[in-house]
Amino acid sequence: MELIYSTDNKLEIINYKNIFENEGINSNLKNTLLGGGSDPGHSQYLELWVDKQHLAKATQILESINTETELSEWICDNCKEPNESNFKICWNCSNADS
Ligand SMILES: [Zn+2]
């Protein structure tokens, strides 16, 4: 298998894994020991691995996701402040993205 993505953002990488599974790409999550309140300086990175035969397709999917993400700034329903797409909760009023 080939390493395609690593992050310390567990929700993000699980999301990618689900997307790959929906696309019929066999993927494997490694280093899932993140959490447990350890020192952030030593937080463990999660790695997403895919079958080599699916690497090209998986890379393409990741690229399309990241392109969309960069463009999808969202406006808070509650306070109308714009939020970066990587914020799931409004920076201003803590309202969740709907
Ligand atoms: Zn808000």
Side-chain angles (χ1 to χ4, degrees):
M1 297 187 90
E2 299 282 330
L3 175 63
I4 186 164
Y5 194 76
S6 68
T7 179
D8 60 356
N9 186 331
K10 191 176 181 179
L11 291 178
E12 181 184 31
I13 208 159
I14 287 174
N15 188 32
Y16 290 162
K17 188 177 194 300
N18 288 337
I19 290 167
F20 288 160
E21 278 173 9
N22 287 339
E23 296 288 333
I25 296 170
N26 185 26
S27 63
N28 209 347
L29 204 53
K30 296 187 180 179
N31 293 351
T32 54
L33 298 174
L34 189 72
S38 58
D39 183 339
H42 296 94
S43 61
Q44 183 145 24
Y45 269 68
L46 299 166
E47 296 178 341
L48 192 59
W49 295 67
V50 298
D51 283 342
K52 196 167 189 175
Q53 69 201 49
H54 291 135
L55 185 63
K57 187 181 180 188
T59 303
Q60 216 170 39
I61 292 168
L62 272 192
E63 281 173 359
S64 72
I65 294 169
N66 287 333
T67 305
E68 284 169 21
T69 305
E70 280 170 21
L71 297 174
S72 63
E73 188 182 74
W74 56 282
I75 305 295
C76 177
D77 288 338
N78 189 44
C79 69
K80 309 303 180 194
E81 282 293 328
N83 285 270
E84 298 290 338
S85 58
N86 57 332
F87 290 112
K88 296 301 176 200
I89 294 173
C90 177
W91 64 269
N92 187 47
C93 71
S94 300
N95 185 44
D97 185 12
S98 53

